[in-house]
Amino acid sequence: MTAIPQERRVVTAIPGPKSVELQARRLAAVAAGVGSTLPVFTARAGGGIIEDVDGNRLIDFGSGIAVTSVGASAEAVVRRASAQLADFTHTCFMVTPYEGYVEVCEQLAELTPGDHAKKSALFNSGAEAVENAVKIARAYTKRTAVVVFDHGYHGRTNLTMGMTAKNMPYKQGFGPFAPEVYRVPVAYGYRWPTGAENAGAEASAQAIDEITKQIGADNVAAIVIEPVLGEGGFIEPAKGFLPAIARFAKDNGIVFVADEIQSGFCRTGQWFACEDEGIVPDLITTAKGIAGGLPLSAVTGRAEIMDAAHSGGLGGTYGGNPVACAGALGAIETMRELDLNGKARRIEEVMKGRLAEMRAKLPNGDIIGDIRGRGAMIAIELVKSGTKDPNPEAAARLAKACHAEGVLVLTCGTYGNVLRFLPPLVIGEDLLTEGLDVIEQAFAGV
């Protein structure tokens, strides 16, 4: 494994000629519905750098959407996965099991919030984890209704599309969706009508009122929420909101599910984002950062809830693949050894400091309506000058300008007006600063 020089380098237009050639092949062979943020074709990646086939090196502020938190070729992940690859690639855990799966479940029991007895089941993707959490909650409660929230994102399967708030591009034309999914308000502080200071109490009261009146609490199997809402715009629910919802769930025998697929595994400066307000979920779903880039997901929760599904009711041919499990053990080893929670908190300090400076000193800085997020899950919400009107055009122009200069950034948000930053937690501070310099320069063209 050759180390990639940790420096930005732009040697061609982005995308370069080899990427353009590969893009032509892609358009002929790959379904048009599979998009790309930036059609540069990756040759190798590691640390805070993605190197493309033309020899350009981009600073990575995306981590493959919060996946490569430990880097895209972390030594422990490569070492453990390679060793497992040499032994066997698959047996199917439901046919003949193996230790790696069990060890990942043991680690999840140790790392997730709460000291109660816990069990886990492993799957392949975040959407699968969410779908199985709902199955488990329904089996345990013998109820059917599922409550989700405005601005939430939970996946692209039929059930999880129904649970996802945003229509384009996730749901448009793909219905009808699974029934018994109900959406209630979330405490989006920046956009709460009576101000951020009232959002936690008012939004939780409104959500609980709607659940009680429109669904009936005793019909609800699960309440599912991202402790930091990802695709919806890196929204941190205002303080007090999550504890109030968790209390309501507990008081009414409802399974409280924390969807930590994007926010988990040190991303917010804690092992899991729900720890910030002391939330102990009944079930927690994880994926993305869990296995250093290999496809793995999990549902972890109270043993009595996890055991509610009958034998054979959970699983999947590839769920908890042995190579992916080895990768997960390598990723967790790396997170512990390098104190990636501490690194995430330092990234927050650097990024929020610089973004606040930009807002204060740039002539058009007031288009940064909000700076938010925790750890290495930071975002700016862009608005039209002097208003709170969403400005998706500015987000698109900023992203394009950053890409041209060799910094990969992503957009998100219900209104498409949020620029989000998800650097690998192992990124060097020099690269982090240089990436922020490029973002600052990009504002000149907006």
Side-chain angles (χ1 to χ4, degrees):
M1 185 170 73
T2 314
I4 299 168
Q6 294 295 295
E7 55 190 34
R8 178 172 65 109
R9 183 175 77 166
V10 180
V11 293
T12 71
I14 292 177
K18 289 181 182 173
S19 280
V20 169
E21 192 180 310
L22 281 164
Q23 178 69 354
R25 286 171 55 193
R26 172 219 169 111
L27 291 173
V30 179
V34 182
S36 283
T37 298
L38 178 60
V40 299
F41 283 73
T42 306
R44 54 191 190 138
I49 291 289
I50 294 171
E51 185 173 293
D52 73 11
V53 289
D54 290 289
N56 299 299
R57 293 195 198 111
L58 284 72
I59 297 176
D60 181 11
F61 276 10
S63 298
I65 318 184
V67 169
T68 53
S69 299
V70 296
S73 49
E75 185 277 331
V77 174
V78 173
R79 169 171 41 83
R80 285 181 180 248
S82 298
Q84 179 57 54
L85 203 56
D87 288 340
F88 60 93
T89 59
H90 174 81
T91 66
C92 184
F93 189 77
M94 300 179 300
V95 177
T96 56
Y98 36 88
E99 186 181 2
Y101 187 119
V102 176
E103 198 175 344
V104 170
C105 294
E106 289 169 341
Q107 292 283 337
L108 287 165
E110 186 182 325
L111 292 170
T112 51
D115 55 9
H116 50 276
K118 296 177 206 157
K119 293 189 177 183
S120 294
L122 305 184
F123 305 97
N124 304 290
S125 69
E128 270 188 86
V130 172
E131 189 135 341
N132 277 279
V134 170
K135 283 169 62 175
I136 292 162
R138 284 174 168 164
Y140 178 71
T141 61
K142 307 293 190 282
R143 304 170 180 178
T144 56
V146 177
V147 172
V148 292
F149 293 82
D150 287 340
H151 309 288
Y153 175 86
H154 299 288
R156 295 175 184 262
T157 60
N158 185 269
L159 175 59
T160 56
M161 278 192 293
M163 295 170 68
T164 291
K166 190 175 178 181
N167 179 51
M168 274 298 287
Y170 307 115
K171 300 164 75 167
Q172 177 65 30
F174 298 141
F177 303 114
E180 289 298 300
V181 174
Y182 301 88
R183 194 171 320 284
V184 296
V186 76
Y188 188 169
Y190 178 65
R191 295 195 172 276
W192 195 253
T194 59
E197 65 281 3
N198 300 315
E202 290 181 4
S204 57
Q206 199 176 322
I208 288 166
D209 184 60
E210 289 186 19
I211 295 167
T212 306
K213 287 179 180 166
Q214 297 179 26
I215 312 163
D218 55 0
N219 293 317
V220 179
I223 294 175
V224 186
I225 190 166
E226 303 158 275
V228 178
L229 286 77
E231 297 295 310
F234 282 27
I235 300 161
E236 282 188 272
K239 296 295 180 216
F241 179 82
L242 288 172
I245 299 295
R247 262 194 315 275
F248 171 76
K250 186 175 184 181
D251 291 346
N252 289 278
I254 299 166
V255 176
F256 183 86
V257 184
D259 178 343
E260 292 258 15
I261 284 156
Q262 190 162 172
S263 59
F265 287 100
C266 308
R267 178 51 60 182
T268 63
Q270 293 166 292
W271 279 101
F272 298 97
C274 59
E275 294 175 59
D276 187 62
E277 290 186 87
I279 305 291
V280 178
D282 297 311
L283 300 179
I284 186 165
T285 60
T286 52
K288 289 193 184 289
I290 193 173
L294 294 167
L296 187 71
S297 68
V299 183
T300 302
R302 297 183 184 279
E304 68 275 15
I305 300 177
M306 291 298 297
D307 282 344
H310 54 271
S311 179
L314 302 177
T317 303
Y318 294 110
N321 170 272
V323 181
C325 286
L329 296 170
I332 292 167
E333 176 189 325
T334 306
M335 289 168 195
R336 291 182 195 275
E337 283 188 3
L338 300 182
D339 181 21
L340 293 192
N341 281 317
K343 290 199 184 303
R345 291 192 292 272
R346 175 60 184 157
I347 288 168
E348 176 183 354
E349 191 183 339
V350 171
M351 293 201 101
K352 280 191 169 173
R354 277 294 300 280
L355 293 166
E357 278 175 30
M358 287 181 214
R359 179 159 65 179
K361 77 180 185 187
L362 288 169
N364 58 347
D366 73 330
I367 71 168
I368 301 177
D370 196 24
I371 300 165
R372 58 177 178 251
R374 293 205 304 272
M377 191 173 180
I378 303 295
I380 52 176
E381 178 161 357
L382 298 161
V383 293
K384 289 172 183 166
S385 187
T387 75
K388 283 193 176 182
D389 296 343
N391 194 342
E393 299 81 11
R397 284 198 296 272
L398 275 168
K400 190 176 179 185
C402 291
H403 295 164
E405 293 300 320
V407 176
L408 177 64
V409 296
L410 306 173
T411 58
C412 68
T414 298
Y415 312 107
N417 66 325
V418 176
L419 206 60
R420 58 173 161 171
F421 309 113
L422 290 161
L425 305 182
V426 295
I427 194 170
E429 205 160 307
D430 55 339
L431 281 183
L432 189 63
T433 303
E434 188 178 352
L436 287 159
D437 292 342
V438 170
I439 291 165
E440 186 168 340
Q441 290 154 16
F443 267 95
V446 173

